[in-house]
Amino acid sequence: MKKELENLKSKALAKLKSVKSLEELDKIEQKYFGRKDGELNKILRGLKDLPAREKPLIGPLANRTKKDLEQAIKAARNKFTRDALNKELKKDFFDITAPGTPHETGHIHVLAQTQYEVERIFNQMGFAIQDGPEIES
């Protein structure tokens, strides 16, 4: 069992070093930590069948192997995330010191808009708009 754990750890770490994408990393994680058919989980489930004198030796080794692999996977995932972020930042560079686009502020009041619309309609019908004191004609 000890030899199996050491071989498993060395194979997994070698594969993690050669990973080139997050998809590959997910496949490797599934291969070793998968619930049903994960290689490491099979070994951990087999600990209960070991003789009592081997359990204190193999148990801590299995846990240490599991922690080491989890840390290696986490480090690889962080590397891919960091690399992807750096690529995006280089691709989407913009100058924060450049002047922005001016935005128009303010608008005509809704009642004034309505008044202008009514005046336009009356102008089209032939009426004249007069400002000032009341006019009688």
Side-chain angles (χ1 to χ4, degrees):
M1 181 77 73
K2 184 176 181 180
K3 212 49 149 168
E4 287 179 44
L5 281 170
E6 291 171 354
N7 287 338
L8 179 93
K9 183 178 178 180
S10 62
K11 282 194 303 187
L13 292 176
K15 285 184 179 183
L16 285 173
K17 287 181 182 178
S18 66
V19 164
K20 292 182 176 46
S21 69
L22 278 174
E23 291 79 23
E24 285 182 50
L25 183 63
D26 290 337
K27 287 179 184 176
I28 290 173
E29 186 175 16
Q30 184 66 30
K31 179 179 178 180
Y32 291 103
F33 291 103
R35 231 171 214 212
K36 293 182 181 177
D37 58 349
E39 293 182 23
L40 184 62
N41 285 341
K42 285 180 185 177
I43 292 174
L44 292 175
R45 277 190 235 119
L47 288 177
K48 65 179 182 197
D49 300 331
L50 288 176
R53 61 179 170 26
E54 287 185 26
K55 284 182 184 180
L57 301 173
I58 302 297
L61 179 64
N63 285 333
R64 201 170 331 113
T65 301
K66 182 178 178 182
K67 280 185 181 179
D68 291 344
L69 290 179
E70 285 174 344
Q71 288 175 352
I73 287 174
K74 185 177 179 182
R77 192 171 302 279
N78 287 341
K79 176 185 167 249
F80 281 115
T81 306
R82 191 172 47 250
D83 289 347
L85 179 62
N86 286 336
K87 285 178 186 175
E88 285 294 318
L89 289 176
K90 286 179 183 176
K91 183 175 73 174
D92 293 338
F93 175 76
F94 63 94
D95 185 8
I96 61 171
T97 62
T101 56
H103 297 285
E104 293 183 20
T105 57
H107 59 278
I108 299 174
H109 193 274
V110 176
L111 292 178
Q113 289 177 4
T114 305
Q115 178 184 345
Y116 297 150
E117 180 68 19
V118 170
E119 289 175 358
R120 186 186 62 78
I121 292 170
F122 275 102
N123 269 334
Q124 289 176 346
M125 292 191 311
F127 289 92
I129 305 298
Q130 299 293 323
D131 287 331
E134 291 184 23
I135 298 175
E136 293 182 17
S137 60

